[in-house]
Amino acid sequence: MTSDPFLPAAIAEAEQGLREGGIPIGSVIVSQGKIIGRGHNARVQKGSAVLHAEMDALENAGRQPASVYREATLYTTLSPCAMCSGAILLYGIRRVIIGENKTFLGEEALLKSRGVSLEVRQDPTCVRMMTEFIRMHPELWNEDIGV
């Protein structure tokens, strides 16, 4: 298997979010072999209702032509929720690499039904980060997923 530096970059974003007191979910958007946007869940840190990792990565990518998104790959440490899946569909991102979906299964069926290619890695670091966070901060986690 070839070395893929992009999931580790998303994990680094998740770790940054955790260090800031937030929820450890990270994301990067890759175009032509380069990261064009990176982000982490910053709802707690910024008092935001919508700043999930994928949304933060899209925001940090800035305005891009639709053609860039159509050929880009989005990496995320956790299965995308309904909001983030909607953004993936809106911008026409066709490939998503998911760190894990054991702690939370997002809208993968919707993404697949709309032709998005998904690869779930079940990365042990991603699983451990979320398992520990959910155990230690269930109130923040439930708020993040709308429970």
Side-chain angles (χ1 to χ4, degrees), residues 59-100:
E59 180 69 18
N60 291 326
R63 289 180 61 196
Q64 299 290 332
S67 60
V68 171
Y69 292 118
R70 280 193 303 270
E71 62 80 27
T73 299
L74 183 142
Y75 286 75
T76 181
T77 59
L78 186 64
S79 184
C81 73
M83 175 178 65
C84 296
S85 293
I88 289 165
L89 294 173
L90 178 67
Y91 290 102
I93 296 171
R94 295 179 180 160
R95 184 169 182 243
V96 178
I97 307 295
I98 299 168
E100 67 103 349

Side-chain angles (χ1 to χ4, degrees), residues 69-139:
Y69 292 118
R70 280 193 303 270
E71 62 80 27
T73 299
L74 183 142
Y75 286 75
T76 181
T77 59
L78 186 64
S79 184
C81 73
M83 175 178 65
C84 296
S85 293
I88 289 165
L89 294 173
L90 178 67
Y91 290 102
I93 296 171
R94 295 179 180 160
R95 184 169 182 243
V96 178
I97 307 295
I98 299 168
E100 67 103 349
N101 65 3
K102 290 182 178 184
T103 61
F104 177 77
L105 179 61
E107 299 295 327
E108 293 179 27
L110 171 64
L111 291 170
K112 286 179 187 177
S113 78
R114 298 283 296 274
V116 177
S117 168
L118 302 180
E119 179 183 328
V120 181
R121 301 253 174 107
Q122 302 302 11
D123 179 85
T125 300
C126 295
V127 173
R128 178 188 49 75
M129 274 193 305
M130 284 309 300
T131 300
E132 289 176 8
F133 183 84
I134 292 167
R135 181 178 48 79
M136 293 178 66
H137 304 284
E139 70 292 343

